[in-house]
Amino acid sequence: MNAAQPFPELSWSWTRNQTFLNCKRWYFHAYYSSWGGWRRKASNLSRHAYRLKRLVTLDQLFGISVHNQIHRMIDVSQKMTVEAFNASVQKALNKAYWESIHKKEQWYEHPSDFNMLHEMYYNGELPEHKIEEYRERMTVIANHLLSSQTFMDIFDGKGKRIKLITYERFRLFEMEGVKAWVVLDLVFQDLESGKFVVVDFKTGKPSSSDRVQLLLYALFLKEAFNLPTLDQMELRNEYLAQGKYTSFTPRQTDLEYVQSLIQTSVKEMKAYLRVPEQNVPLEMERFEQTKNRAICRRCAFQELCDIG
């Protein structure tokens, strides 16, 4: 990117779409005002927004830590014990909590090098009942993960020939000149049936959007592997907190729906650009603030807004 183009090209992702729908001002700070905030000559707003963008909620960190243990087990082809799983997740949470208290000044100067919990930054503490809740969730999720259908397929297949394709990597496909990014938890292939299984591990409650996310992955997979038929795919959500999973085979109408969703979303995002060719946004004031206070409380950029 040259100096005349202050922002990267417009791209699309599920996270970006959800942020856009939640609050246009949140979207502005996440993808525009924070851009370049790591640079020495960045504006005060850019540095401030970039710092806030690095905040992580306890729930986000918990999910990241669980996923890290899942990939660790897959990498070494060996299950962990519940105790080892809990210890690793707890260690990550403890580190973030300690840094949020003792490394605040260092985080302020180098926000990408240290953890800062959203709850600690805005509230100054973590309620004891919240800490206990996550301790209990660890054991529940560990037990459900180790007995999940996906782990039975991978580790206890009883001779089933499995080929791991990919996991937790940014993947890219293009729609009408716009790059769309997906993050795949896990894809494996049953070499006997030839079927590709796409797995999304969830540590929270089931959501109506979970199916749509899987369809995005199917759209990528169909293109990446040039699959002639959708019958070669199984899309699976593993709900680790509940100890259940759901799966389905996508239909052509499903993929057409998600393609339309992306196209509509990109069109709406472009309406907030002053120079579409260079992804230059309109003025900050043109990005409306949500009136939903529940969304405000989750937003990392709430201190940049003047809503009381």
Side-chain angles (χ1 to χ4, degrees):
M1 186 176 71
N2 57 48
Q5 187 173 333
F7 298 101
E9 64 181 311
L10 177 67
S11 61
W12 189 93
S13 69
W14 180 252
T15 299
R16 185 170 187 145
N17 175 66
Q18 293 304 99
T19 303
F20 183 82
L21 294 176
N22 277 333
C23 175
K24 303 301 185 292
R25 186 65 60 85
W26 183 347
Y27 173 79
F28 173 79
H29 288 310
Y31 295 98
Y32 292 103
S33 72
S34 61
W35 176 257
W38 57 87
R39 299 188 184 114
R40 185 173 298 177
K41 294 184 179 180
S43 68
N44 289 336
L45 173 60
S46 185
R47 284 200 297 270
H48 193 168
Y50 174 69
R51 189 183 307 122
L52 295 178
K53 187 176 181 178
R54 302 297 304 185
L55 293 175
V56 60
T57 67
L58 185 60
D59 203 52
Q60 288 170 334
L61 184 63
F62 181 76
I64 291 168
S65 301
V66 168
H67 278 74
N68 286 343
Q69 303 319 309
I70 291 172
H71 301 143
R72 179 180 169 188
M73 285 185 267
I74 293 172
D75 276 343
V76 299
S77 301
Q78 185 175 352
K79 289 184 180 181
M80 303 169 71
T81 64
V82 171
E83 292 74 21
F85 178 93
N86 287 355
S88 294
V89 174
Q90 185 71 59
K91 182 178 179 181
L93 299 184
N94 289 346
K95 180 176 184 289
Y97 180 74
W98 188 87
E99 288 184 355
S100 296
I101 296 173
H102 301 287
K103 295 291 183 178
K104 188 170 184 178
E105 291 184 8
Q106 292 92 326
W107 170 82
Y108 190 90
E109 294 298 327
H110 304 284
S112 63
D113 295 338
F114 300 94
N115 290 291
M116 176 56 67
L117 289 171
H118 181 285
E119 294 87 348
M120 296 293 293
Y121 184 81
Y122 280 112
N123 304 325
E125 62 179 357
L126 283 178
E128 185 59 40
H129 74 273
K130 200 74 175 174
I131 296 173
E132 186 58 34
E133 175 189 321
Y134 278 91
R135 287 199 188 105
E136 293 174 0
R137 281 180 66 187
M138 281 181 214
T139 300
V140 170
I141 283 178
N143 279 303
H144 288 162
L145 172 66
L146 296 175
S147 61
S148 67
Q149 181 62 50
T150 298
F151 266 39
M152 284 194 288
D153 287 342
I154 293 175
F155 294 105
D156 307 320
K158 296 181 179 178
K160 182 185 288 189
R161 295 167 60 219
I162 294 294
K163 178 184 179 182
L164 295 175
I165 304 296
T166 184
Y167 65 82
E168 199 65 31
R169 296 177 184 173
F170 285 102
R171 296 297 182 186
L172 173 70
F173 61 95
E174 196 166 299
M175 280 192 60
E176 299 182 4
V178 175
K179 292 176 180 176
W181 297 94
V182 295
V183 182
L184 299 160
D185 271 359
L186 174 67
V187 181
F188 65 88
Q189 184 181 21
D190 182 334
L191 295 178
E192 294 176 2
S193 67
K195 180 171 287 191
F196 290 83
V197 182
V198 182
V199 185
D200 200 12
F201 294 98
K202 299 291 186 182
T203 57
K205 297 178 181 177
S207 165
S208 58
S209 67
D210 296 342
R211 181 183 177 94
V212 181
Q213 284 183 271
L214 285 174
L215 291 173
L216 288 170
Y217 306 153
L219 199 62
F220 161 78
L221 200 68
K222 184 176 186 299
E223 182 177 303
F225 292 90
N226 195 27
L227 300 182
T229 172
L230 296 178
D231 291 337
Q232 287 181 264
M233 256 189 264
E234 177 191 341
L235 307 181
R236 182 186 297 177
N237 274 128
E238 287 280 8
Y239 293 106
L240 302 180
Q242 294 76 27
K244 65 178 184 179
Y245 81 98
T246 61
S247 68
F248 66 98
T249 298
R251 299 166 298 180
Q252 184 58 37
T253 53
D254 291 325
L255 298 195
E256 289 170 0
Y257 163 75
V258 81
Q259 285 176 318
S260 176
L261 183 152
I262 296 172
Q263 290 165 350
T264 301
S265 178
V266 168
K267 182 179 179 180
E268 292 175 349
M269 289 175 183
K270 284 184 174 180
Y272 284 82
L273 297 178
R274 180 166 55 86
V275 186
E277 299 78 15
Q278 296 184 357
N279 192 28
V280 177
L282 298 172
E283 297 76 13
M284 180 176 72
E285 291 71 24
R286 301 283 293 276
F287 289 77
E288 307 90 346
Q289 296 166 307
T290 182
K291 293 180 173 61
N292 186 335
R293 294 298 179 268
I295 290 176
C296 291
R297 287 191 291 272
R298 301 199 311 268
C299 177
F301 306 102
Q302 56 189 270
E303 71 179 15
L304 290 177
C305 289
D306 55 8
I307 293 180

